[in-house]
Amino acid sequence: MRFPFLTVTSGWKTFYGFLQRGLLSADQRLWSSALKCSRSSSQLSKEKCFYITTPIFYVNAAPHLGHLYSAVIADCLHRWKLLQGFESRFATGTDEHGLKIQQAAEAAGKDPLTFCTEVSQRFETLFSSCSVSFTDYIRTTEQRHRLAVEHFWSVLWNKGLIYKGIYEGWYSTQDESFLVPSQVGDALDPSGKEVKVSLESGHKVEWMKEENYMFRLSSFRSLLLDWLVKNPGAVQPERFHQAVLQWLQEDLPDLSVSRQRSRLQWGIPVPGDPEQTIYVWLDALVNYLTVVGYPDKHERWWHVAHHVIGKDILKFHAIYWPAFLLGAGLPLPQVIHVHSHWTVGGRKMSKSLGNVVDPFEHSQMFTNDGMRYFLLRQGVPDTDCNYTHDKVQKLLNAELADSLGGLLNRITAPTLNPAQVYPAFCSHSFPRDRRGRAVEEDYHMVETVRSLSTVVEKHYEGMQVYKALEAISACVKQTNGFVQRHTPWKLDRSDSKDGRWLDTIIHLTLECLRVYGTLLQPVVPEISDRLLTRLGVQSQERSWKDLNFLGRYFGTDCSFEGRPLGSNCGLLFSRLETQSGAKQKTMKSKKPAQKR
Ligand code: MSP
């Protein structure tokens, strides 16, 4: 990992200008530690480690489907890295300071900390129940976080990057965001009164004028541009990278990073000035550092940081955060993975519209893995997606119950495989010279499944999980086609040739299922576990390096051949009744009663 200051020129000139004008303290120690950091970072990058974060969630309201989506994406990337043999840390948690939370606690008639604790626990429960396997759960009200934020603030202050000034402008409490006039428009509130709103979020804004501490954001513009131009993969997908570049073409005023204590008590006081509270976004962003032990022990993990965020908080993560980090002399995140939003009935989820999807209720209805599969299979990071009950049922029935579950059921049925073993592969039946019983489509399937891991790797890496699942689903379909084509249930096991061919069909199908089960682990951990357990695959045989698809055909060994299958623990995924199906059933069950 290179140190960002060393790779930029034009941006660095601005920064250097500050040093010359005495606005920053030219601290030699900073430079030597920065250089040390860049040296040790390159040593560290040889280690296989990975650090992924979700945004920390506001506790002003209960979790909804969109929150679960952010968490499930990050969990999938974390599990993916573990599968590949990385040491991985995965942090999530709650954002508990700020005016919005202060007001929500007041409205609930609770003291802020009690209120935050209750809602934070609901997030934690949701994530744990949906197999979101975080390694760290952070709350911004924790003491360790307060110390990290105070330290971070002091670093920026000591370098002359924070100064006292007057902020006058628009502020949205709902977004906890300052806006320039071009980001504000007119609207009518529910009572018909004219109000000013943020054009991006639609939330109400208010004019404020306060003495605040300001961060010299304006001087980071060219540094940020350099970073983005030199690291085209820093913000993904591409359209969001372009959006940030576009914002940087516009005016980038200095940023207010505190509020008067009289207005905002629920937050961390500015070190050395108890009359001011640190701006909630500066406080919140530092959570990513707190988790990995900032300011003393963060280096190992910080240089492999990846953030998953929703599109609404891109500006905070791709402009403010990198500017703060550059100011503090810290490396920038490797990738900011951005996702779009879930809408319901084509509209943004909101309490007032009554269209908020409760993730607890829905993951009970569709199972945890069912919910995870749907979100990741249908969620396209580039664009918003619409959530409907019917879509979930249809997709899960088709792909998990019928296609994948049906394939496992058929091929492990005792009628087909009475010995309940992983049978032998016969290279006379399925020879490489294509003179056996296999047909062209079978060879094509074998090649497609063989390359599946590479395809899936590419898509998981780019957070295009839906494409990985699309590819797996297409392969499952092909394998069903293979079984259907050769109708193994019609073969006579007592005939030695037929028997060998039958075993080969089963062996190949089990090998395909083993690959699917292994690659699906980051998305549907419980289903994959049931699938691999049924195949007799031990937990230490489920990693990326164990894939070795169809070794007996490709000239290596197959350690599964001849082994007993695992126990049958029922259906992989039970079909969900569609609403129309349920209606038909009720009608049918009523008919005989009428006859009588
Ligand atoms: N607290 C800030 C983040 C601070 S990170 C240093 C915040 N919290 S949030 O609770 O409002 O949002 C958390 C995440 O949920 C964001 O990534 C946001 O994009 C995501 N979602 C909120 N609504 C969503 C949908 N309707 N659909 C998908 N994700 C959505 O912002």
PDB file of all heavy atoms in Angstrom, residues 14-25:
ATOM      1  N   THR A  14      -1.059  21.926  -3.030  1.00  0.00           N
ATOM      2  CA  THR A  14      -1.988  22.706  -2.210  1.00  0.00           C
ATOM      3  C   THR A  14      -1.681  22.472  -0.744  1.00  0.00           C
ATOM      4  O   THR A  14      -1.628  23.381   0.071  1.00  0.00           O
ATOM      5  CB  THR A  14      -3.448  22.236  -2.461  1.00  0.00           C
ATOM      6  OG1 THR A  14      -3.585  21.968  -3.809  1.00  0.00           O
ATOM      7  CG2 THR A  14      -4.443  23.221  -1.931  1.00  0.00           C
ATOM      8  N   PHE A  15      -1.514  21.195  -0.435  1.00  0.00           N
ATOM      9  CA  PHE A  15      -1.270  20.814   0.943  1.00  0.00           C
ATOM     10  C   PHE A  15       0.035  21.437   1.432  1.00  0.00           C
ATOM     11  O   PHE A  15       0.127  21.980   2.518  1.00  0.00           O
ATOM     12  CB  PHE A  15      -1.192  19.274   0.990  1.00  0.00           C
ATOM     13  CG  PHE A  15      -1.321  18.721   2.378  1.00  0.00           C
ATOM     14  CD1 PHE A  15      -2.566  18.646   2.986  1.00  0.00           C
ATOM     15  CD2 PHE A  15      -0.213  18.271   3.059  1.00  0.00           C
ATOM     16  CE1 PHE A  15      -2.694  18.125   4.262  1.00  0.00           C
ATOM     17  CE2 PHE A  15      -0.332  17.759   4.329  1.00  0.00           C
ATOM     18  CZ  PHE A  15      -1.579  17.687   4.926  1.00  0.00           C
ATOM     19  N   TYR A  16       1.031  21.397   0.535  1.00  0.00           N
ATOM     20  CA  TYR A  16       2.333  21.933   0.865  1.00  0.00           C
ATOM     21  C   TYR A  16       2.246  23.446   1.073  1.00  0.00           C
ATOM     22  O   TYR A  16       2.887  24.022   1.942  1.00  0.00           O
ATOM     23  CB  TYR A  16       3.318  21.583  -0.255  1.00  0.00           C
ATOM     24  CG  TYR A  16       4.751  21.872   0.111  1.00  0.00           C
ATOM     25  CD1 TYR A  16       5.342  21.179   1.173  1.00  0.00           C
ATOM     26  CD2 TYR A  16       5.501  22.812  -0.573  1.00  0.00           C
ATOM     27  CE1 TYR A  16       6.657  21.437   1.521  1.00  0.00           C
ATOM     28  CE2 TYR A  16       6.814  23.067  -0.229  1.00  0.00           C
ATOM     29  CZ  TYR A  16       7.392  22.382   0.819  1.00  0.00           C
ATOM     30  OH  TYR A  16       8.675  22.633   1.170  1.00  0.00           O
ATOM     31  N   GLY A  17       1.331  24.058   0.274  1.00  0.00           N
ATOM     32  CA  GLY A  17       1.106  25.495   0.412  1.00  0.00           C
ATOM     33  C   GLY A  17       0.687  25.840   1.830  1.00  0.00           C
ATOM     34  O   GLY A  17       1.123  26.839   2.401  1.00  0.00           O
ATOM     35  N   PHE A  18      -0.134  24.998   2.380  1.00  0.00           N
ATOM     36  CA  PHE A  18      -0.562  25.205   3.768  1.00  0.00           C
ATOM     37  C   PHE A  18       0.612  25.189   4.723  1.00  0.00           C
ATOM     38  O   PHE A  18       0.713  26.015   5.614  1.00  0.00           O
ATOM     39  CB  PHE A  18      -1.549  24.112   4.193  1.00  0.00           C
ATOM     40  CG  PHE A  18      -2.953  24.492   3.875  1.00  0.00           C
ATOM     41  CD1 PHE A  18      -3.677  23.766   2.956  1.00  0.00           C
ATOM     42  CD2 PHE A  18      -3.538  25.586   4.493  1.00  0.00           C
ATOM     43  CE1 PHE A  18      -4.969  24.128   2.652  1.00  0.00           C
ATOM     44  CE2 PHE A  18      -4.827  25.942   4.191  1.00  0.00           C
ATOM     45  CZ  PHE A  18      -5.538  25.216   3.259  1.00  0.00           C
ATOM     46  N   LEU A  19       1.462  24.216   4.478  1.00  0.00           N
ATOM     47  CA  LEU A  19       2.621  24.090   5.351  1.00  0.00           C
ATOM     48  C   LEU A  19       3.442  25.372   5.289  1.00  0.00           C
ATOM     49  O   LEU A  19       3.848  25.938   6.284  1.00  0.00           O
ATOM     50  CB  LEU A  19       3.503  22.918   4.902  1.00  0.00           C
ATOM     51  CG  LEU A  19       2.993  21.527   5.240  1.00  0.00           C
ATOM     52  CD1 LEU A  19       3.888  20.496   4.596  1.00  0.00           C
ATOM     53  CD2 LEU A  19       2.976  21.329   6.744  1.00  0.00           C
ATOM     54  N   GLN A  20       3.629  25.867   4.022  1.00  0.00           N
ATOM     55  CA  GLN A  20       4.462  27.058   3.847  1.00  0.00           C
ATOM     56  C   GLN A  20       3.837  28.283   4.494  1.00  0.00           C
ATOM     57  O   GLN A  20       4.501  29.117   5.053  1.00  0.00           O
ATOM     58  CB  GLN A  20       4.687  27.295   2.362  1.00  0.00           C
ATOM     59  CG  GLN A  20       5.683  26.309   1.797  1.00  0.00           C
ATOM     60  CD  GLN A  20       5.828  26.522   0.314  1.00  0.00           C
ATOM     61  OE1 GLN A  20       4.874  26.853  -0.375  1.00  0.00           O
ATOM     62  NE2 GLN A  20       7.033  26.350  -0.194  1.00  0.00           N
ATOM     63  N   ARG A  21       2.485  28.359   4.392  1.00  0.00           N
ATOM     64  CA  ARG A  21       1.829  29.535   4.952  1.00  0.00           C
ATOM     65  C   ARG A  21       1.644  29.398   6.466  1.00  0.00           C
ATOM     66  O   ARG A  21       1.020  30.231   7.102  1.00  0.00           O
ATOM     67  CB  ARG A  21       0.471  29.751   4.274  1.00  0.00           C
ATOM     68  CG  ARG A  21       0.633  30.095   2.805  1.00  0.00           C
ATOM     69  CD  ARG A  21      -0.598  30.784   2.253  1.00  0.00           C
ATOM     70  NE  ARG A  21      -1.809  30.022   2.438  1.00  0.00           N
ATOM     71  CZ  ARG A  21      -2.228  29.057   1.613  1.00  0.00           C
ATOM     72  NH1 ARG A  21      -1.505  28.733   0.565  1.00  0.00           N
ATOM     73  NH2 ARG A  21      -3.345  28.435   1.832  1.00  0.00           N
ATOM     74  N   GLY A  22       2.154  28.305   6.981  1.00  0.00           N
ATOM     75  CA  GLY A  22       2.115  28.117   8.428  1.00  0.00           C
ATOM     76  C   GLY A  22       0.766  27.683   8.947  1.00  0.00           C
ATOM     77  O   GLY A  22       0.495  27.717  10.136  1.00  0.00           O
ATOM     78  N   LEU A  23      -0.134  27.286   8.010  1.00  0.00           N
ATOM     79  CA  LEU A  23      -1.447  26.853   8.464  1.00  0.00           C
ATOM     80  C   LEU A  23      -1.406  25.448   9.042  1.00  0.00           C
ATOM     81  O   LEU A  23      -2.256  25.041   9.803  1.00  0.00           O
ATOM     82  CB  LEU A  23      -2.447  26.900   7.300  1.00  0.00           C
ATOM     83  CG  LEU A  23      -2.801  28.314   6.870  1.00  0.00           C
ATOM     84  CD1 LEU A  23      -3.566  28.295   5.564  1.00  0.00           C
ATOM     85  CD2 LEU A  23      -3.614  29.016   7.950  1.00  0.00           C
ATOM     86  N   LEU A  24      -0.381  24.700   8.620  1.00  0.00           N
ATOM     87  CA  LEU A  24      -0.191  23.365   9.183  1.00  0.00           C
ATOM     88  C   LEU A  24       1.144  23.356   9.885  1.00  0.00           C
ATOM     89  O   LEU A  24       2.058  24.036   9.472  1.00  0.00           O
ATOM     90  CB  LEU A  24      -0.141  22.309   8.065  1.00  0.00           C
ATOM     91  CG  LEU A  24      -1.353  22.178   7.181  1.00  0.00           C
ATOM     92  CD1 LEU A  24      -1.054  21.176   6.082  1.00  0.00           C
ATOM     93  CD2 LEU A  24      -2.517  21.696   8.015  1.00  0.00           C
ATOM     94  N   SER A  25       1.243  22.543  10.922  1.00  0.00           N
ATOM     95  CA  SER A  25       2.551  22.439  11.539  1.00  0.00           C
ATOM     96  C   SER A  25       3.344  21.381  10.787  1.00  0.00           C
ATOM     97  O   SER A  25       2.905  20.239  10.660  1.00  0.00           O
ATOM     98  CB  SER A  25       2.402  22.047  13.006  1.00  0.00           C
ATOM     99  OG  SER A  25       1.680  20.854  13.096  1.00  0.00           O
TER     100      SER A  25
END
